[in-house]
Amino acid sequence: MKVVLLAGGFGTRISEESHLKPKPMIEIAGKPILWHIMKYYSSFGYNDFVICAGYKQHVIKEWFADYYLHNSDITFDFTSKNEMTVHKNFAEPWKVTIVDTGLNTMTGGRIKRIKKYVGNEPFMLTYGDGVCDVDIKSLVEFHKKQGKIATLTAVNIGQRFGVLEVGKEGVVETFREKSEGDGSLINAGYMVLNPEIFEYIENDSTIFEREPLEEVAKNGELNAFMHKGFWQCMDTKRDMEKLEQLLADGVAPWKVWED
């Protein structure tokens, strides 16, 4: 099952960093938050990634192009043969497809543009700026058992995202954008989607969190996987510093791999 990562937005709320690079490429502990998300999925055995790039998409492509060299010991011999020798190297077990989904394309449009890369099979989807300790294996099993078109991870956090109303057996009865005075169940990303989801996306201007998810919910085809553990998006510089501190203290819940 492929993992699709939304990494094409401007990241205006964290402009101190995002004027130089896409928000998913902003580093925490020396690595882009996008890398942290991929490492987490990889810990569950999911290593085939499709990145929906847009704003400064070249930064993402160049970072992955140089990843092998940056994680190797290398000798550059300019004295005679002008050779490069790799002595020690480390490479992730990843296949990474980076797709330029457009500068101003909305989230739904970005997903629509990568349809040919995921094919006619279920895939996972999340945002390129949020880390968590969601049990991915249980999430996938829940999606398959429920048999709906879409499953999203819901967290109780009382923030500023799309609002869910969840009925019996985890079926999402309505999905809508936030409004003042809303409750605290929100869409945290970490979704599993069947290929029928593409039928709900019209064009580049479609915002995935509006018409597509709202319509899927209205049709009784959207489930919520309830997550009571850690989840944090990196929306502001303060969020970035919080994640940095968790890593520095050695208590980052999403860091389940060895250095």
Side-chain angles (χ1 to χ4, degrees):
M1 188 180 291
K2 291 181 173 63
V3 180
V4 177
L5 302 164
L6 290 168
F10 290 96
T12 53
R13 292 194 188 98
I14 192 168
S15 58
E16 303 95 326
E17 297 278 345
S18 62
H19 72 287
L20 298 172
K21 62 187 72 173
K23 184 165 70 165
M25 296 305 292
I26 296 173
E27 295 183 354
I28 51 176
K31 288 289 195 298
I33 189 169
L34 184 68
W35 177 89
H36 286 263
I37 296 168
M38 294 168 71
K39 286 285 283 188
Y40 188 74
Y41 274 106
S42 187
S43 71
F44 288 89
Y46 295 100
N47 296 306
D48 195 345
F49 299 97
V50 179
I51 299 176
C52 300
Y55 172 68
K56 294 187 180 295
Q57 50 89 24
H58 68 279
V59 175
I60 303 176
K61 292 176 179 176
E62 290 171 2
W63 192 87
F64 280 100
D66 293 337
Y67 187 77
Y68 177 77
L69 291 180
H70 289 175
N71 290 275
S72 303
D73 294 338
I74 301 172
T75 295
F76 295 98
D77 185 355
F78 302 117
T79 61
S80 57
K81 299 180 181 179
N82 197 25
E83 291 182 338
M84 180 184 78
T85 305
V86 178
H87 301 286
K88 176 185 176 184
N89 64 79
F90 172 78
E92 307 288 351
W94 296 349
K95 178 181 178 182
V96 183
T97 302
I98 302 167
V99 183
D100 183 359
T101 56
L103 182 60
N104 297 302
T105 310
M106 297 292 102
T107 49
R110 295 191 191 283
I111 296 166
K112 187 86 167 183
R113 286 203 188 192
I114 56 86
K115 179 180 179 181
K116 66 180 180 181
Y117 295 102
V118 298
N120 190 33
E121 60 183 37
F123 62 98
M124 285 184 278
L125 170 75
T126 198
Y127 303 103
D129 62 354
V131 288
C132 69
D133 61 356
V134 172
D135 187 335
I136 302 296
K137 179 181 178 181
S138 295
L139 167 64
V140 173
E141 289 175 350
F142 176 82
H143 175 77
K144 291 178 179 178
K145 180 180 178 181
Q146 297 299 107
K148 305 293 185 181
I149 290 175
T151 299
L152 54 76
T153 295
V155 296
N156 194 324
I157 199 169
Q159 267 196 27
R160 52 193 182 277
F161 301 89
V163 179
L164 313 174
E165 293 179 13
V166 182
K168 295 180 179 180
E169 298 181 355
V171 176
V172 177
E173 296 178 345
T174 62
F175 181 102
R176 57 183 171 79
E177 282 292 279
K178 81 278 185 182
S179 62
E180 292 185 10
D182 272 326
S184 56
L185 268 186
I186 62 102
N187 170 22
Y190 291 86
M191 307 176 219
V192 186
L193 304 169
N194 289 348
E196 293 93 329
I197 194 67
F198 293 113
E199 299 171 11
Y200 290 81
I201 303 172
E202 186 174 353
N203 53 39
D204 281 359
S205 64
T206 301
I207 299 173
F208 185 63
E209 298 78 9
R210 292 186 181 168
E211 290 85 358
L213 285 186
E214 290 171 357
E215 193 66 25
V216 171
K218 189 184 300 183
N219 294 341
E221 289 291 333
L222 178 61
N223 272 316
F225 179 78
M226 307 301 295
H227 176 57
K228 297 182 179 180
F230 176 84
W231 175 82
Q232 177 67 53
C233 71
M234 190 181 68
D235 223 15
T236 65
K237 194 169 187 293
R238 182 178 179 182
D239 295 333
M240 181 183 73
E241 292 168 350
K242 177 180 178 180
L243 295 175
E244 285 267 14
Q245 193 60 54
L246 288 172
L247 286 163
D249 294 341
V251 292
W254 73 92
K255 188 181 179 300
V256 295
W257 58 89
E258 298 292 331
D259 290 326

